[in-house]
Amino acid sequence: MRLSTAVEIVSNAIKHNIALAESGNARDSQYVTPMLWGAPGLGKTTSVNDKTNQLGIDLNTMILAQYDAGELGGFPILENGKMQRARPGYLPDKGTGVLFMDEFPQAPLANQNIAAQLINERRVGEHKLGEGWTIVCAGNDTKHRAGTNQMPSHVKDRLLHLEIEADTNDALDYFNSKQFTPELIGFIRYRPEYLHKFDPDQKASPTPRSWERVDSILKWKLDPVAEQNAITGMVGGPAAADFAGFLQVFRELPDPDMPFKDPMNASVPNDPSVLYALMASLASRVDGKTIKNLMTYLQRVPNKEFVLVCMKDALKRNTNLAKHADVTNWLRTEGTGLVL
């Protein structure tokens, strides 16, 4: 499923669990614990971080594999002549939030077995998870060869399993929301097959996470040779080579300001790679003063797919543009299929 679909399910599970806690009469069996499965670099961890921020609740992330079993269960202490276990520091007891057990299947079997009680009974030994807290898990499957261990069957039975795959629209929405460089957005639109090609046999592969780091590399303004080597080290040779060709097209665009200055006479390219590059460039720079001229120019673009691409990216990067009268009218008449 798409990451956005999984996040919607996770969001509802969080709200459901919080409402149960607030009701004061919830049974442990009513709580739902989502488990995000997917290849490395898809954005599982980032999506949980972003969702808790949107909901305005706390986030306590723990990497299950970084603990030993004794730590997870709480170290033994002597209290009034009896052995007790100290409350584990990762286990919140106040407030409202998400206890996020990341890289869950990478943990040893003993750790997963201890976490099983936490998932099912919301406790570890005598120590209960705070009523306002809900659990979310994430990790990679064995097929991804990411140091994954088999998950015991009783643990699997206690989770809501969400299998995630890369989705271009989800990734580009995220890239635009973070103001990624237009050349990177244009390339992924032009060559979406390079969004996610994770290969466990290679040192570097293209994934949404590695492209985010390429965005940082592009902003370093390296010399061309150093830049190409850095990008190759981030996404691997084939993706970097094709991206280099697209970068050359992007950086040789004929005056990309012309559609803003003279929308009726600015040239309209025919080459798809040039059009993708130009649309991404225009979307990244348009504002409330230039949107009218941009829309005049876009009316001259014969392939309306590129118009939709440009407008979607522009509106994702600057949501205030949707309030402009010309944009409102376009959304009502020509952009009815656009999902913002």
Side-chain angles (χ1 to χ4, degrees):
M1 72 180 72
R2 293 175 57 169
L3 180 60
S4 59
T5 302
V7 169
E8 181 183 358
I9 295 170
V10 169
S11 178
N12 279 277
I14 293 170
K15 294 173 184 176
H16 164 81
N17 292 346
I18 291 174
L20 279 177
E22 291 175 347
S23 72
N25 59 359
R27 301 185 306 277
D28 291 339
S29 59
Q30 292 177 289
Y31 287 88
V32 177
T33 302
M35 169 74 201
L36 301 171
W37 293 94
L42 284 177
K44 300 181 294 297
T45 302
T46 300
S47 66
V48 175
N49 285 321
D50 289 348
K51 179 48 64 176
T52 53
N53 284 333
Q54 291 171 13
L55 293 173
I57 59 177
D58 294 330
L59 176 68
N60 190 3
T61 300
M62 61 174 298
I63 308 299
L64 200 61
Q66 291 180 354
Y67 293 77
D68 63 36
E71 287 180 285
L72 288 173
F75 286 127
I77 58 174
L78 194 62
E79 190 173 288
N80 299 323
K82 294 182 180 181
M83 191 197 83
Q84 307 287 340
R85 287 192 177 270
R87 184 179 184 88
Y90 67 83
L91 195 65
D93 59 351
K94 294 182 176 64
T96 303
V98 168
L99 175 61
F100 182 37
M101 292 194 283
D102 203 1
E103 299 182 16
F104 190 103
Q106 279 70 28
L109 184 61
N111 293 24
Q112 294 189 42
N113 280 325
I114 292 173
Q117 184 189 25
L118 180 56
I119 293 167
N120 199 49
E121 301 175 29
R122 295 174 56 80
R123 69 165 63 240
V124 176
E126 63 266 40
H127 298 296
K128 288 216 64 165
L129 178 65
E131 290 297 327
W133 286 78
T134 188
I135 301 168
V136 176
C137 306
N140 312 119
D141 211 336
T142 52
K143 65 185 178 183
H144 302 128
R145 289 156 57 187
T148 304
N149 295 303
Q150 285 290 346
M151 182 179 284
S153 59
H154 70 293
V155 179
K156 293 178 184 177
D157 186 57
R158 300 174 184 192
L159 296 167
L160 166 60
H161 300 275
L162 304 172
E163 297 274 356
I164 300 166
E165 296 180 351
D167 181 82
T168 305
N169 288 323
D170 278 355
L172 289 172
D173 285 350
Y174 173 78
F175 291 175
N176 276 307
S177 72
K178 300 300 182 184
Q179 304 295 311
F180 277 27
T181 50
E183 47 265 59
L184 178 53
I185 290 172
F187 175 70
I188 297 299
R189 285 215 180 274
Y190 178 52
R191 299 295 300 275
E193 68 273 21
Y194 277 125
L195 172 64
H196 190 270
K197 277 192 171 185
F198 178 72
D199 184 349
D201 290 323
Q202 300 300 318
K203 293 179 180 176
S205 301
T207 67
R209 178 167 58 201
S210 60
W211 284 119
E212 183 161 10
R213 289 167 180 163
V214 167
D215 179 68
S216 296
I217 292 170
L218 291 172
K219 293 169 183 172
W220 295 349
K221 304 299 181 184
L222 298 171
D223 70 73
V225 174
E227 181 180 74
Q228 183 62 18
N229 278 294
I231 294 172
T232 299
M234 201 71 253
V235 297
D242 278 11
F243 185 48
F246 187 84
L247 276 178
Q248 184 174 358
V249 170
F250 188 94
R251 291 168 177 173
E252 293 177 359
L253 284 174
D255 192 357
D257 284 326
M258 280 304 294
F260 297 134
K261 297 174 182 176
D262 189 2
M264 292 305 297
N265 295 302
S267 63
V268 178
N270 292 318
D271 187 302
S273 64
V274 179
L275 266 172
Y276 274 114
L278 179 60
M279 295 299 109
S281 175
L282 294 174
S284 71
R285 292 180 1 267
V286 67
D287 57 26
K289 295 179 180 178
T290 57
I291 184 63
K292 185 177 181 66
N293 280 359
L294 173 61
M295 298 192 71
T296 299
Y297 175 78
L298 291 177
Q299 289 174 0
R300 299 177 49 229
V301 176
N303 189 333
K304 297 308 175 186
E305 174 189 345
F306 289 99
V307 176
L308 287 170
V309 161
C310 183
M311 290 301 296
K312 181 172 184 177
D313 286 351
L315 292 170
K316 285 291 182 182
R317 296 177 78 96
N318 185 351
T319 56
N320 288 328
L321 292 176
K323 302 174 184 177
H324 194 281
D326 289 321
V327 176
T328 301
N329 182 61
W330 179 85
L331 286 170
R332 188 171 55 250
T333 56
E334 298 178 52
T336 52
L338 191 65
V339 179
L340 299 178

